[in-house]
């Protein structure tokens, strides 16, 4: 797997980031001057009440959306001014994402889903397969590589999704409520997977409502009224 | 195969497999449309080819002058006669004129043979090909030799070769030539027997007594038709008018004439072409529009159902062009396969049942490739809007949709 690109610089930094959405009654400011730095190798968990701006923040952190105002640095590079196509390149090469509802291709096997990570990269198929198998081994599903994901449990599906996110080692792994749809036991298995990835040196940005998961975090941020507050964890 | 293309094909295959009903319906409508389009192209192409053959077989600058039979035209004094041939030859400088008389006679196997009594100039006018030997000449006419020129069909049917003796109603004729009459295009398009002797025609000198008739007495010298080749410099219509005018002069008057020009023959074909173009064209257009709109609705529904997948693809680095390309490729592939199945299957059926088809057909690369081209355009056109809509979905919105 690749080493983090720049060890010393924050993997993600936001300076005075605002995100507003236009409405008929004027713009709604969801993020209000957010500042943040995420150091390489950290496991940052963000909690906060509904409507506090967590999802909007995550979209910006995942480079899926652009800020209305402010600057975002990703791995030492200003990304808030990049074009859509340039952002696509950063996303496919340097980011990993895990979603609450897995976002798997249910007609395909576990390894095919993981290999989908390379769908828009120029990685040779053999290499993609090898890396995908390695990622499945990492999340403990190496023996179920050829099993159709629709036959898997929720926890296993989420681990396949995690394997997909890390098959090409990301600079930052962004996870949006990855245990939100899982029972306690499955959630625990998934969190142990995240913990293993963290030990492997992957930076993780994790959004959850579940305070029990804070024990895995190296840093806890609370999102409140469009701003992030640092809490010791 | 390019890895990305293979991956895209895999994506499309997965999508079709996930929604077989809708894809099947769209495929069916497009397939029917392509079938109708192929039939339309084959028939129109066939009719066009037939038109070309008619012009070719009638000959450049050639027209026929025929007259209603005597029972319809009781004024015997005004019938076409051999002196009209000389009269026209004298007045149509640079042209050629030939007259014919026709008789139907039972052949050796009792099948009908058409005997055509004419002169040597017929071959200067009609572009029939002499396969062997020679055509009738002035000497044959002058000496009233019992010589004949047979068509290839008669030659094949009865073994009549050059030098052989053909016996027609107990009268021997020496075969001096074998003639090919063309593709039969005229035969199938016109009831005017004067224009095209059947493939079983026996040409004899016009001066021979009708040995093949029970009475064997020379009939009153009338002609069934004249063939005229207009002078090269004279427009055909002008030549027709000139002949009409010559044959209505008081001392040369001929009544109830019909002038059969290529234009007259082609009119019927053009009418048929227009009818087919309108009917089969409407069906093809309807099916293609139906197929296209079904395809579009399939793609719109796909986009709606695959919003999360689109979000995932964008999250994994797909550009807007990648997303749009996926839907366009899916549509083009679906329409392309429908075209291959529809046009290919129809082409095969038409080729096998060609003889049973009531109109001429042309089955060539153009007929088979055009539907594929149309299908590609159709796929691209009808997928444009859904593909653009898919490409414009914000990845953040799409993933929130999960």
């Amino acid at each position: 797997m690749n080493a983090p690109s720049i060890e010393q610089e924050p993997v993600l930094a936001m300076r005075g980031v605002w995100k507003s959405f236009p409405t008929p009654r004027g713009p709604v400011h969801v993020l209000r001057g957010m500042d943040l730095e995420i150091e390489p190798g950290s496991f940052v968990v963000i909690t906060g009440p509904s409507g506090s701006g967590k999802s909007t923040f995550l979209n910006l952190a995942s480079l899926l959306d652009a800020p209305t105002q402010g600057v975002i640095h990703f791995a030492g590079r200003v990304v808030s001014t990049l074009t859509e196509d340039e952002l696509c390149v950063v996303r496919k090469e340097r980011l990993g994402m895990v979603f609450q509802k897995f976002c798997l291709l249910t007609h395909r096997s576990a390894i095919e889903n993981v290999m989908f990570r390379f769908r828009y990269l120029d990685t040779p198929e053999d290499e993609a397969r090898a890396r995908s198998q390695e990622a499945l081994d990492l999340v403990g599903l190496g023996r179920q590589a050829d099993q159709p994901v629709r036959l898997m449990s929720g926890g296993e599906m989420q681990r396949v999704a995690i394997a997909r996110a890390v098959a090409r080692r990301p600079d930052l792994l962004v996870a949006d409520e990855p245990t939100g749809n899982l029972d306690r036991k499955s959630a625990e298995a998934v969190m142990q997977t995240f913990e293993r990835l963290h030990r492997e040196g992957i930076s993780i940005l994790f959004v959850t409502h579940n305070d029990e998961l804070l024990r895995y975090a190296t840093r806890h941020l609370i999102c409140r009224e469009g701003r992030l507050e640092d809490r010791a964890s | 195969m390019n890895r990305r293309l293979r991956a895209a094909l895999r994506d499309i295959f997965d999508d079709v497999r996930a929604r077989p009903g809708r894809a099947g319906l769209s495929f069916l409508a497009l397939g029917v449309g392509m079938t109708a389009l192929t039939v339309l192209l084959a028939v129109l192409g066939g009719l066009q080819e037939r038109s070309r053959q008619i012009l070719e077989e009638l000959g450049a600058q050639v027209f026929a002058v025929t007259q209603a039979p005597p029972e319809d035209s009781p004024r015997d004094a005004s019938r076409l006669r051999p002196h009209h041939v000389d009269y026209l030859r004298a007045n149509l400088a640079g042209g050629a004129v030939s007259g014919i008389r026709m008789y139907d006679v039972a052949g050796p196997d009792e099948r009908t043979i058409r005997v055509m009594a004419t002169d040597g100039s017929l071959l200067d006018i009609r572009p029939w090909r002499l396969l062997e030997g020679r055509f009738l000449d002035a000497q044959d006419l002058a000496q009233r030799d019992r010589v004949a020129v047979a068509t290839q069909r008669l030659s094949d049917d009865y073994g009549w070769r050059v030098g052989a003796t053909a016996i027609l109603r107990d009268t021997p004729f020496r075969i001096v030539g074998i003639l090919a009459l063309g593709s039969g295009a005229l035969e199938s398009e016109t009831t005017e027997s004067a224009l095209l002797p059947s493939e079983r025609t026996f040409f004899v000198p016009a001066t021979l007594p009708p040995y093949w008739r029970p009475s064997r007495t020379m009939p009153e010298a009338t002609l069934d038709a004249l063939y005229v080749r207009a002078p090269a410099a004279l427009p055909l219509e002008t030549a027709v008018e000139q002949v009409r005018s010559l044959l209505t002069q008081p001392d040369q008057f001929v009544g109830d004439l019909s002038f059969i020009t290529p234009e007259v023959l082609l009119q019927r074909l053009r009418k048929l072409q227009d009818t087919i173009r309108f009917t089969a064209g409407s069906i093809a257009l309807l099916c293609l529009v139906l197929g296209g709109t079904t395809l579009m609705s399939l793609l719109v529904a796909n986009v709606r159902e695959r919003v999360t997948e689109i979000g995932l693809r964008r999250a994994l680095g797909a550009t807007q062009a990648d997303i749009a390309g996926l839907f366009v490729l899916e549509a083009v592939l679906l329409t392309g396969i429908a075209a291959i199945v529809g046009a290919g299957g129809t082409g095969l059926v038409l080729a096998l049942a060609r003889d049973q088809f009531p109109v001429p057909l042309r089955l060539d690369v153009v007929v088979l490739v055009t539907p594929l081209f149309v299908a590609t355009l159709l796929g691209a056109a009808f997928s444009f809007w859904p593909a653009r809509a898919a490409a414009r979905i914000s990845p953040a919105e799409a993933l929130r949709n999960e």
Side-chain angles (χ1 to χ4, degrees):
Chain A
M1 289 190 178
N2 301 333
S5 56
I6 300 169
E7 290 289 335
Q8 301 306 317
E9 292 207 54
V11 64
L12 179 72
M14 293 187 181
R15 308 260 185 272
V17 166
W18 284 70
K19 182 66 184 177
S20 309
F21 295 96
T23 69
R25 285 180 287 180
V28 172
H29 306 292
V30 179
L31 301 184
R32 299 158 177 265
M34 192 173 262
D35 292 311
L36 170 74
E37 277 191 5
I38 296 178
E39 301 305 325
S42 56
F43 190 148
V44 178
V45 173
I46 297 177
T47 59
S50 296
S52 59
K54 294 192 301 294
S55 295
T56 305
F57 161 73
L58 215 56
N59 287 337
L60 296 183
S62 313
L63 312 185
L64 294 172
D65 207 350
T68 312
Q69 195 182 318
V71 180
I72 301 176
H73 294 256
F74 186 87
R77 180 182 181 192
V78 176
V79 291
S80 44
T81 54
L82 294 182
T83 63
E84 180 56 39
D85 282 358
E86 287 169 335
L87 281 176
C88 286
V89 175
V90 179
R91 281 203 297 267
K92 72 179 170 188
E93 290 182 347
R94 316 196 74 157
L95 260 167
M97 288 180 229
V98 179
F99 312 97
Q100 186 175 355
K101 287 186 182 169
F102 326 136
C103 289
L104 295 174
L105 304 173
T106 51
H107 278 80
R108 299 192 186 185
S109 67
I111 193 154
E112 285 169 337
N113 268 279
V114 179
M115 286 175 73
F116 200 65
R117 174 70 184 86
F118 300 94
R119 171 68 175 78
Y120 297 100
L121 289 163
D122 291 325
T123 314
E125 189 168 341
D126 289 349
E127 187 186 336
R129 185 171 289 276
R131 286 204 197 185
S132 299
Q133 183 63 50
E134 204 177 307
L136 280 172
D137 290 338
L138 188 67
V139 299
L141 291 174
R143 290 184 176 185
Q144 288 161 268
D146 295 323
Q147 190 176 333
V149 292
R150 65 178 181 278
L151 302 180
M152 291 181 157
S153 68
E156 287 170 333
M157 287 168 92
Q158 192 58 293
R159 279 148 66 197
V160 171
I162 296 168
R164 180 181 62 199
V166 299
R168 179 186 169 97
R169 188 184 173 105
D171 290 346
L172 180 65
L173 175 59
V174 179
D176 185 8
E177 299 261 17
T179 58
N181 270 5
L182 303 178
D183 59 32
R184 197 185 183 90
K185 194 178 162 191
S186 300
E188 194 60 39
V190 166
M191 288 314 297
Q192 282 169 7
T193 304
F194 274 107
E195 193 176 34
R196 197 176 311 141
L197 294 172
H198 178 231
R199 280 202 304 269
E200 294 264 329
I202 294 176
S203 311
I204 299 171
L205 179 59
F206 194 106
V207 168
T208 183
H209 275 109
N210 188 351
D211 287 345
E212 284 183 28
L213 305 182
L214 290 174
R215 66 177 188 274
Y216 295 98
T218 57
R219 187 178 172 197
H220 175 205
L221 297 168
I222 298 177
C223 189
R224 195 172 283 146
E225 293 178 353
R227 289 193 183 87
L228 287 173
E229 296 171 10
D230 227 323
R231 290 292 164 93
S233 31
Chain B
M1 196 191 296
N2 177 290
R3 191 185 68 82
R4 285 204 172 194
L5 180 62
R6 206 167 53 222
L9 293 179
R10 172 73 200 275
D11 292 345
I12 291 165
F13 173 73
D14 268 9
D15 180 52
V16 170
R17 202 172 49 157
R19 301 162 185 86
R22 235 179 296 168
L25 187 66
S26 183
F27 185 84
L28 188 68
L30 288 162
V32 171
M34 292 304 160
T35 298
L37 183 64
T38 309
V39 171
L40 178 71
L41 291 171
V43 170
L44 290 179
L47 290 175
Q48 200 173 357
E49 179 67 13
R50 176 63 54 81
S51 304
R52 192 189 59 75
Q53 285 175 351
I54 284 174
L55 290 177
E56 209 170 74
E57 282 186 25
L58 192 59
Q61 290 286 85
V62 172
F63 62 95
V65 184
T66 62
Q67 192 175 28
E71 56 269 27
D72 298 338
S73 177
R75 292 175 295 174
D76 277 344
S78 61
R79 305 238 18 112
L80 273 174
R81 293 177 191 283
H83 69 83
H84 288 119
V85 175
D86 299 329
Y87 167 62
L88 290 179
R89 278 177 184 159
N91 288 283
L92 204 63
V97 184
S98 179
I100 56 163
R101 258 197 331 273
M102 291 179 292
Y103 311 88
D104 284 342
V105 181
D109 56 0
E110 295 305 312
R111 282 190 293 159
T112 302
I113 291 177
R114 168 152 293 175
V115 175
M116 189 173 269
T118 185
D119 58 47
S121 61
L122 182 64
L123 214 58
D124 296 335
I125 299 171
R126 299 300 302 271
W128 296 326
R129 196 159 46 94
L130 197 59
L131 298 175
E132 205 180 326
R134 62 174 177 83
F135 198 64
L136 306 171
D137 58 21
Q139 198 177 350
D140 296 331
L141 269 83
Q143 295 180 354
R144 297 189 173 185
D145 282 342
R146 279 185 297 199
V147 294
V149 174
T151 55
Q152 188 175 16
R153 174 61 64 86
L154 286 179
S155 171
D156 291 344
D157 286 354
Y158 303 123
W160 292 344
R161 303 277 178 265
V162 171
T165 301
I167 296 175
L168 209 60
R169 286 193 72 96
D170 303 328
T171 306
F173 289 87
R174 184 165 50 86
I175 303 291
V176 295
I178 306 293
L179 201 64
L181 282 187
S183 67
L186 278 175
E187 188 175 31
S188 53
E189 294 309 327
T190 178
T191 54
E192 297 288 348
S193 56
L195 279 177
L196 186 82
S198 83
E199 287 187 317
R200 293 167 52 81
T201 297
F202 199 67
F203 296 90
V204 298
T207 49
L208 278 188
Y211 300 108
W212 47 85
R213 305 192 88 185
S215 70
R216 297 195 177 183
T217 53
M218 198 70 175
E220 188 185 2
T222 59
L223 296 175
D224 292 316
L226 297 176
Y227 287 127
V228 181
R229 195 191 67 224
L234 202 62
L236 192 64
E237 295 76 19
T238 312
V240 168
E241 282 314 308
Q242 199 172 331
V243 170
R244 191 195 302 277
S245 167
L246 287 168
L247 292 177
T248 49
Q249 295 300 312
D251 56 335
Q252 299 288 343
F253 182 81
V254 182
D256 299 317
L257 290 178
S258 299
F259 290 81
I260 300 163
T261 61
E263 189 59 32
V264 169
L265 293 176
L266 293 180
Q267 266 172 8
R268 200 175 126 199
L269 271 186
R270 288 193 184 123
K271 198 172 170 189
L272 188 61
Q273 270 177 316
D274 288 345
T275 308
I276 289 170
R277 194 176 287 131
F278 181 73
T279 50
S282 303
I283 293 169
L285 188 69
L286 196 70
C287 290
L288 292 177
V289 170
L290 187 68
T293 47
T294 311
L295 178 72
M296 194 195 261
S297 67
L298 166 85
L299 291 173
V300 168
N302 272 4
V303 170
R304 280 189 187 160
E305 282 179 16
R306 295 167 69 186
V307 167
T308 306
E309 183 195 318
I310 291 167
L312 172 68
R313 286 175 185 272
R314 296 301 308 279
L316 294 179
T319 61
Q320 289 188 332
D322 288 329
I323 299 297
L326 186 69
F327 284 93
V328 172
L329 183 64
E330 180 169 335
V332 168
L333 210 63
L334 203 64
T335 51
I337 294 173
I340 289 169
V341 172
T346 308
L348 191 67
V349 170
L350 291 180
L352 292 175
R354 196 172 200 154
D355 295 339
Q356 277 75 49
F357 222 67
V359 288
L361 297 173
R362 187 177 74 187
L363 290 171
D364 57 12
V365 178
V366 174
V367 170
L368 297 176
V369 167
T370 304
L372 192 62
F373 180 69
V374 171
T376 308
L377 279 182
L378 200 75
F382 280 93
S383 63
F384 175 76
W385 187 79
R388 195 176 68 154
R392 286 184 171 184
I393 293 174
S394 143
E397 292 288 331
L399 289 167
R400 190 180 300 160
N401 191 56
E402 68 158 335

